[in-house]
Amino acid sequence: MTEPYPRRPVLVGVDGSESSERAVAWAARYAAAWHASLRLLHAIVPAFDPQPLPQSYYDAVDQQGKKCVARAVDIARQSAPDVEVSARLISGFPVAVLLEASRHARSLVLGPRGRGGFTGLLLGSVAVTLAAHGHCPVIVVRGERATSEPSGNAPVVLGVDGSPASEGAIRFAFDAASRWGAPLIALHAWSDFTVDDLFAAQPPVDWTVVEAKESHLLAQRLAGWREKFPEVDVRKTVIMSGPAHSLIQQGRQARLVVVGSRGRGGLRGMLLGSTSQALLHHSPCPVAVVRPNYG
């Protein structure tokens, strides 16, 4: 079927960190699977100082940026020799630069932490902000296994919440599974209740009826896409559990976890749901956040 962004490149934000370099290698292999070009982008943050800085300062910053980009280009070419690679340095703040560039990208790929980031934090707020506002799918390359090519049996895991907002994520996941020749695990986790909540429910709930309803909902959401991607081996999973916990568990053996940017319980004005945020911080493998308007 027709691709949403057929001639757009895969975009990678690079900053010279080890995390960024892993993202470049992963993105190069990803671009090869999509037969896409790869564009590397490094943002040079403008200096704000009441006193004029010497030209040597700007020369040093420019030289550092060029070294960062040159190393990223080498990593990309070693990871996927047949992929066309281009690189650019732009003056500006990373979020603003990458947000604008995402208008013309197939996907935006980032590492989970940037240069100077504290343990456990995501590129400061760059990845979270771009996942919420980016104009294309945003992929954060997490997990140690992201440094090597996964086995052919490693699945793409798709979180389906049953809302129309998940359609973009469903399309993206089916396309990814098709191109990688990987199975697709479509997971619908339909309960955030605690055990105490379940036993305290009055009147008692017939959970077999609820589960049957949720299974039907998942089948409805997947039906049209299974017809469009008949080659994809789809494995449906319906579970009474919190979605973030379930997706993190499934991600331990996955090559990619795909979620929408907002869930069916999302509050008006919130562009990134709690499940997406949890995965950006804790997923054991790369995670793609896809906005509803994808495709």
Side-chain angles (χ1 to χ4, degrees), residues 209-231:
V209 173
V210 176
E211 185 173 9
K213 180 180 177 180
E214 298 295 337
S215 296
H216 179 67
L217 177 63
L218 175 59
Q220 281 185 314
R221 284 293 171 206
L222 297 179
W225 296 106
R226 296 187 75 169
E227 294 172 2
K228 294 172 183 176
F229 293 91
E231 72 282 5

Side-chain angles (χ1 to χ4, degrees), residues 212-256:
K213 180 180 177 180
E214 298 295 337
S215 296
H216 179 67
L217 177 63
L218 175 59
Q220 281 185 314
R221 284 293 171 206
L222 297 179
W225 296 106
R226 296 187 75 169
E227 294 172 2
K228 294 172 183 176
F229 293 91
E231 72 282 5
V232 175
D233 174 16
V234 182
R235 305 169 187 177
K236 294 183 291 183
T237 300
V238 177
I239 185 170
M240 187 177 67
S241 178
H245 172 77
S246 301
L247 290 167
I248 289 170
Q249 291 297 315
Q250 289 283 350
R252 299 189 189 283
Q253 304 300 323
R255 65 172 66 216
L256 181 68

Side-chain angles (χ1 to χ4, degrees), residues 132-218:
H133 298 281
H135 300 284
C136 65
V138 175
I139 303 171
V140 176
V141 180
R142 295 188 54 84
E144 293 302 321
R145 287 183 293 105
T147 59
S148 59
E149 188 68 27
S151 70
N153 293 327
V156 173
V157 174
L158 165 66
V160 183
D161 62 24
S163 72
S166 66
E167 286 295 293
I170 294 172
R171 175 171 188 159
F172 184 91
F174 267 92
D175 195 12
S178 175
R179 290 176 181 275
W180 278 320
L184 174 64
I185 296 177
L187 185 145
H188 178 49
W190 52 271
S191 175
D192 281 322
F193 293 118
T194 66
V195 173
D196 289 340
D197 291 332
L198 298 179
F199 281 105
Q202 294 295 332
V205 178
D206 186 340
W207 295 110
T208 59
V209 173
V210 176
E211 185 173 9
K213 180 180 177 180
E214 298 295 337
S215 296
H216 179 67
L217 177 63
L218 175 59

Side-chain angles (χ1 to χ4, degrees), residues 12-219:
V12 191
V14 300
D15 65 4
S17 66
E18 182 180 347
S19 169
S20 169
E21 291 178 354
R22 286 199 299 267
V24 169
W26 189 93
R29 298 191 299 270
Y30 171 81
W34 263 251
H35 304 290
S37 60
L38 186 69
R39 180 173 299 167
L40 310 177
L41 192 57
H42 176 74
I44 298 178
V45 179
F48 286 92
D49 196 292
Q51 299 297 324
L53 295 172
Q55 184 60 41
S56 58
Y57 168 83
Y58 298 101
D59 292 342
V61 170
D62 184 66
Q63 188 63 27
Q64 183 183 40
K66 289 179 178 177
K67 286 183 179 179
C68 166
V69 165
R71 175 163 172 75
V73 169
D74 287 343
I75 291 171
R77 288 177 175 161
Q78 291 171 15
S79 302
D82 296 331
V83 169
E84 177 187 342
V85 182
S86 62
R88 188 178 178 191
L89 278 71
I90 298 181
S91 177
F93 292 96
V95 168
V97 166
L98 291 169
L99 183 62
E100 178 59 29
S102 73
R103 294 180 184 275
H104 312 288
R106 173 187 301 264
S107 297
L108 169 58
V109 181
L110 303 166
R113 288 198 301 132
R115 189 175 54 198
F118 294 100
T119 299
L121 295 183
L122 285 165
L123 288 176
S125 61
V126 172
V128 173
T129 302
L130 288 168
H133 298 281
H135 300 284
C136 65
V138 175
I139 303 171
V140 176
V141 180
R142 295 188 54 84
E144 293 302 321
R145 287 183 293 105
T147 59
S148 59
E149 188 68 27
S151 70
N153 293 327
V156 173
V157 174
L158 165 66
V160 183
D161 62 24
S163 72
S166 66
E167 286 295 293
I170 294 172
R171 175 171 188 159
F172 184 91
F174 267 92
D175 195 12
S178 175
R179 290 176 181 275
W180 278 320
L184 174 64
I185 296 177
L187 185 145
H188 178 49
W190 52 271
S191 175
D192 281 322
F193 293 118
T194 66
V195 173
D196 289 340
D197 291 332
L198 298 179
F199 281 105
Q202 294 295 332
V205 178
D206 186 340
W207 295 110
T208 59
V209 173
V210 176
E211 185 173 9
K213 180 180 177 180
E214 298 295 337
S215 296
H216 179 67
L217 177 63
L218 175 59

